Amino acid sequence: MEGTQVLTTIKEIASHVGKEVKLGGWLYNKRSSGKIQFLQLRDGTGFIQGVLVKSQVAPEVWDAAKQLTQESSLYIWGTVREDERAPGGFELDVTNLEVIQVAEEYPIAKKEHGVDFLLDHRHLWIRSPRQRAILTIRAEIIKALQQYLNDEGFTLVDPPVLTPSSCEGTTNLFHTKYFDEDAYLTQSGQLYMEAAAMTLRKVYSFGPTFRAEKSKTRRHLIEFWMIEPEMAFVEHEESLKIQENMVAHVVRHVLDNCEAELKTLGRDISRLEKVTAPFPRITYDEAVELLHKEGFSDFEWGEDFGAPHETKIAESFEKPVFITHYPTEIKAFYMKPDPNRPEVVLCADLIAPEGYGEIIGGSQRIDDPELMRQRYEEHNLPKEAYQWYMDLRKYGSVPHSGFGLGLERTVAWICGLDHVRETIPFPRMLNRLYP
Ligand code: 4AD
Ligand code: MG
């Protein structure tokens, strides 16, 4: 076998101009014009076109290229040539190739497929340029979130996935047996993060969470990932500042590092450029007033916002907007009432622009043991299961706050996708557990 045996990647091709390289990859498309074959290749790091001229390669190489089907795997040798017209700026003048496998007829053709078909073939669908772009941006968002929190002095703490009780209400718990006991997949690591904040002060978790939601909307997944910071000695207002700085940092990071991917997705970048801190804040009361003026005249104080309400509210702002001070009645048991007005809580939901809905839910937490005891009763929470959580209020209770950012909704927003199903490698949805 002729040529180098050292593998290069398409990502590094720029440093090999004029030289022969060996690539390992897949064929995703092919065009032929008699004496020339154009091979569209991908290698997991990028895309490049290989040009095969019949008169310049051995007959076996020409024939091997001819039998390549879509998604066939191969090693390929060629000389790197700079080409302004090529999408990546380079082309490969092919000198040799070795077929690893001629792929069977690929189910995902160039034609349009329905979304159910694509989801059934999600394990293959993720090879497409668009899905690669989304997965790349997802990873960059995670990196930026962790970078921000690490730089701000937060410590990563991992809460359990199997839990004996609920955090966000009992209606959407995933039940499982834990030997002879009942257990649930975690809905949120928050309660454990509160314990962790009392030893490390500023902490965050990042992991999968589960909600057995029977809702089939473009914002809901059964399994989704959340980043959950929790901070001792931080009160409501300061928590909002941390949230807006974190989100602004993430958007900036994606704009600076994912230009090509955003372009692949056709994202309107001007909308993202506007996302700088600080973000506007309105109270729940003001949001209700706004809705009354904007065609939701029968919305009553005390109701929770649905997707159409959130979208309408977001339309008034170019940046994400905090809605604060929701009615105590409709929020979780652990949220601290506003001391001046106990019928509302010191909480905020961050609503993304462009109709993407709530991306963060957070609040200051109740720190008074007496009030917490009262809440247990009102919410019918089994005292024994929450004993440890009560201990946090008995042994050196301090003011503290935290929030949870839903990764998939954030990815959907930043990528400009109309459904969260494309934001996670293998979505778990109502009626979908395969592949
Ligand atoms: O508002 P949620 O339910 O808040 C909590 O779980 C708090 N315990 C977090 C905390 O304070 N540590 O969920 C937080 C975020 C939502 O704003 C949303 O972005 C996302 O998680 N989320 C979902 N994402 C996809 N599918 C679902 N079914 C989601 N449910 C919530
Ligand atoms: Mg919420």
Side-chain angles (χ1 to χ4, degrees), residues 112-184:
E112 288 276 310
H113 290 285
V115 73
D116 276 322
F117 178 88
L118 289 171
L119 285 169
D120 283 340
H121 295 85
R122 183 66 178 163
H123 50 294
L124 303 176
W125 187 24
I126 53 174
R127 299 181 186 191
S128 75
R130 175 184 160 85
Q131 299 306 316
R132 278 190 87 249
I134 297 168
L135 293 182
T136 304
I137 292 175
R138 177 186 168 102
E140 288 298 328
I141 289 173
I142 295 169
K143 201 194 281 180
L145 285 165
Q146 296 195 325
Q147 195 181 61
Y148 178 83
L149 293 169
N150 292 339
D151 289 353
E152 291 292 315
F154 285 72
T155 302
L156 176 66
V157 171
D158 303 314
V161 170
L162 287 166
T163 61
S165 50
S166 83
C167 174
E168 294 297 314
T170 52
T171 54
N172 58 16
L173 279 173
F174 251 111
H175 174 255
T176 180
K177 284 312 277 187
Y178 190 79
F179 306 107
D180 294 335
E181 285 178 69
D182 287 310
Y184 308 95

Side-chain angles (χ1 to χ4, degrees), residues 167-168 187-188 190 211 213 219-222 224 226 228-230 334 349 358-363 365 402-409:
C167 174
E168 294 297 314
Q187 294 169 307
S188 158
Q190 179 197 318
R211 309 261 170 113
E213 311 220 43
R219 297 173 179 180
H220 285 90
L221 291 167
I222 304 298
F224 66 97
M226 231 200 303
E228 297 191 83
E230 193 69 33
Y334 51 72
D349 283 358
E358 177 200 329
I359 54 171
I360 295 183
S363 74
R365 322 304 192 187
F403 59 93
L405 174 140
L407 180 65
E408 286 74 18
R409 289 192 194 168

Side-chain angles (χ1 to χ4, degrees), residues 25-182:
W26 298 263
L27 182 87
Y28 77 91
N29 204 2
K30 189 167 75 169
R31 273 189 311 121
S32 180
S33 68
K35 306 267 180 263
I36 304 184
Q37 295 184 64
F38 298 96
L39 309 179
Q40 253 89 56
L41 303 161
R42 57 177 193 88
D43 77 341
T45 75
F47 298 85
I48 196 167
Q49 173 163 272
V51 183
L52 199 71
V53 181
K54 191 172 183 181
S55 60
Q56 282 166 26
V57 291
E60 344 40 293
V61 172
W62 179 261
D63 291 340
K66 270 187 113 168
Q67 45 149 338
L68 289 173
T69 53
Q70 187 183 356
E71 289 305 311
S72 289
S73 46
L74 68 157
Y75 292 113
I76 193 160
W77 289 258
T79 311
V80 179
R81 175 166 43 76
E82 214 161 349
D83 186 327
E84 276 180 10
R85 294 159 307 167
F90 303 94
E91 281 196 341
L92 196 67
D93 288 323
V94 180
T95 52
N96 191 14
L97 68 82
E98 184 186 318
V99 178
I100 303 171
Q101 186 194 46
V102 174
E104 291 181 29
E105 194 182 340
Y106 195 59
I108 303 182
K110 293 275 148 345
K111 67 168 176 147
E112 288 276 310
H113 290 285
V115 73
D116 276 322
F117 178 88
L118 289 171
L119 285 169
D120 283 340
H121 295 85
R122 183 66 178 163
H123 50 294
L124 303 176
W125 187 24
I126 53 174
R127 299 181 186 191
S128 75
R130 175 184 160 85
Q131 299 306 316
R132 278 190 87 249
I134 297 168
L135 293 182
T136 304
I137 292 175
R138 177 186 168 102
E140 288 298 328
I141 289 173
I142 295 169
K143 201 194 281 180
L145 285 165
Q146 296 195 325
Q147 195 181 61
Y148 178 83
L149 293 169
N150 292 339
D151 289 353
E152 291 292 315
F154 285 72
T155 302
L156 176 66
V157 171
D158 303 314
V161 170
L162 287 166
T163 61
S165 50
S166 83
C167 174
E168 294 297 314
T170 52
T171 54
N172 58 16
L173 279 173
F174 251 111
H175 174 255
T176 180
K177 284 312 277 187
Y178 190 79
F179 306 107
D180 294 335
E181 285 178 69
D182 287 310

